[in-house]
Amino acid sequence: MRTPPEARYDTDGHHSGDLTGYRIGDAYELIEPIGGGGTGTVWRARALNTDEHVAVKLLREDLMAEPKAVSRFVQERAILLMLRHPHIVRVRDLVTVGTSLGLVMDLVEGGSLRDYLHERGTLPPAEAATLIAQVAEALSAAHRRGVVHRDLKPDNILLDRVDGELHCRLTDFGIARVLDTPSMTTPGALVGTANYVAPEAVYGGRPAPAADIYALGVVLFELTTGRPAYAGGPAWAILRCHVDESPRRVHGMPDAVWQVVQQCMDKRQSRRPTARELATTLRAVARRTRDDPALPPQSIDERLTTLQPPVVPRQRTSPRRSRAAFLAVVLVVLALLALPAWHYATREHRTDAAEGAHATQAPAAPPPTVASPAPAAAPSRNPTAPRAEGNSAAPSLQPGAQVEGSVIFGPWICADGYTWDLGHPLLARPCHALATDRVRMIGHMQGIPGVQADVTLSVLDVDSGRPADGPHPCNGLMFTDFAPDHDCGPFEARLPTGHRYVIVEKWAYTGRALLPGGEVRGVEFDW
C-alpha cells in the first residue's frame, strides 16, 4: 500500500495532492478524480477483489478537525445505508484514507441532471415528468424513514441508463436530517441552495418532507423552461421571491405540468402533495404530454435583475443598508445586521401586524409588527377622525394612529438608535407608546448569525430606580443569516401616575457563559 502523499490544498481548500494509485487497505485503489464539492472530492476507484469500478467520496482533510463536518459525513453513510431504492445511489462502505474519511458508493457514469439539461437546453414535458417521478419515488422511500434531503437540485440527481432508458439516482444526503433527531447544522440556519429553498426554510424552519416537494417543483419548472422559477438576481432577491412571489407560467407550458408546479410550490406546506402522490401524478402527466415538444429555453426572470434591495431608514448617524449589502458583508465577516427580516412567520401568523407602522416622532422606523397610534396627550390634527368606541375622552386620530380595541396609543418613541456595549454581538432598541390609561412597550433586537439570547422588557421608575412593571420575557430568540431581527413584545402596563419612567431592555446569551449579557434603556417619559 502506498504511503499517502503530502496533503496540499488549492485556494478553495480542495486536496491537490496526487492520490492516483493510492490503495485503501486491500479493498480499493483510487484511479482518478471525477468530481468535487464543498466537503470533498469524488474519485473513481477499483474494487480489488472484483475489479468493479466504484466512486469514493473523500472528505477534505482540513475538515477532519471540524467535528460537525465529520459527523455530517458519517451521517450520510448511515442515512444511505438505511435507504435501499433503485433511484438512490447505494453506499457500500466507510473507509479511512490517510488522515481522511471516504464513502464508497456505486459509480454512476451518466453525469448529473444538470449536465444533461445544459446539453439539451430544455426537456420535453413527458421526459421531465418521468425523471422527476423517479426522484419523487426515491423521496417517498426516504420520507417514510423520516429522512429529508434538504438540498434537492439537478446537481444532486445523477443519471445512468437502464435498458437504454434514462434512470435517475438521487445522491448527496450530506445535509439531510433524520427527523426528530438533533440537527448538526446551526439551529435556525438556512440550509440548501437559494434557487430551490422552500419559503418556510428561508428562516431556518424545521426541515420537513414538504420542503423537498417544493424543490422538486422548482426542478420540474427548470427542466421544462431551462431556468429555475426565480433566477438571475442576487441570493437575497431569489429568497425574497420564494417568500413573497408566485412563479409565472411560461407560454406554451402544458396545463398538466403547470398544475403540478403550482401544487408543489404552494406557499402552504399542507397544500403540497406527498412524494408518493407526486410520483403518481407525474406518471399520469408523462402519458398526457407524450406528444408535446420541448419549449425553447427561457431567459432569466427580469423581475430579479431590476428588483431593488429594500432600504431601512436609520438615524442620520447610522448609514442605510440594504439586504444585498448585508449579505455581501456577511460573506466577508460576521457583521452586525442592519435590516429588518421580511419574516415568513410574520406573513402567515402575525395577523395583528399593522403595515406602515412608522413612528411619526422618532427618526427611525418602528417594528413592522406593531401599530403606532397617536399620543393621548397630543392635540388633534384631524378633527374628523373617528374616536374609539366607549372612550369619549380619547383623542382624535393623528396620521399613523390606530385604534387597538377601545384604546388609542401614541406613536412609538424609541431610543436614538440600536446600541450595545463594546464586544456584544447584539444590538437593542427599546420603544414605548402611550395611551390614556396604559403604556405599550416593545424591544427590537438585531444580531449576528448563530447568536441566541433570552430577552426581557421592564418599566423602571427613574427616580427610585425600582421596577414598576415586568420583567416580560422573550426566551430563545435565535438570530440567523435570514432572520437577523427579532422583536420582544409588545407588552402593556398600567402604571401609577406622577412618575418618570423608562423602558429597559436586557438580554443574556444562551450557551455563551463567558459572554455577559447587556442592557439598553429607552427614552424617559413622564406619566
Side-chain angles (χ1 to χ4, degrees), residues 388-403:
E389 294 181 8
N391 186 1
S392 59
S396 298
L397 294 178
Q398 298 182 28
Q402 280 197 356
V403 177

Side-chain angles (χ1 to χ4, degrees), residues 226-239:
R227 63 167 176 83
Y230 312 116
W236 68 261
I238 294 172
L239 294 172

Side-chain angles (χ1 to χ4, degrees), residues 166-308:
L166 277 180
H167 191 82
C168 282
R169 304 285 293 278
L170 185 58
T171 189
D172 204 350
F173 281 77
I175 60 173
R177 169 179 172 171
V178 180
L179 295 181
D180 300 321
T181 62
S183 173
M184 285 183 291
T185 58
T186 302
L190 176 68
V191 176
T193 304
N195 284 333
Y196 310 93
V197 171
E200 66 272 12
V202 169
Y203 293 98
R206 189 174 185 274
D212 285 346
I213 301 302
Y214 185 93
L216 270 192
V218 180
V219 175
L220 177 61
F221 186 98
E222 184 174 6
L223 295 183
T224 54
T225 67
R227 63 167 176 83
Y230 312 116
W236 68 261
I238 294 172
L239 294 172
R240 176 176 173 180
C241 286
H242 283 303
V243 174
D244 294 331
E245 303 289 336
S246 296
R248 292 182 177 181
R249 183 176 183 175
V250 172
H251 178 70
M253 180 180 286
D255 291 342
V257 174
W258 175 240
Q259 289 172 6
V260 173
V261 169
Q262 286 183 303
Q263 292 169 3
C264 292
M265 295 186 65
D266 198 303
K267 307 296 185 194
R268 297 156 294 187
Q269 301 180 59
S270 60
R271 298 290 187 91
R272 300 173 203 157
T274 65
R276 184 170 184 175
E277 292 168 343
L278 178 59
T280 301
T281 300
L282 285 170
R283 295 290 185 187
V285 169
R287 292 191 295 269
R288 292 171 57 186
T289 60
R290 62 179 177 270
D291 297 325
D292 291 357
L295 299 175
Q298 303 296 307
S299 60
I300 62 174
D301 193 335
E302 294 298 331
R303 288 177 297 171
L304 276 75
T305 60
T306 59
L307 188 62
Q308 295 298 316

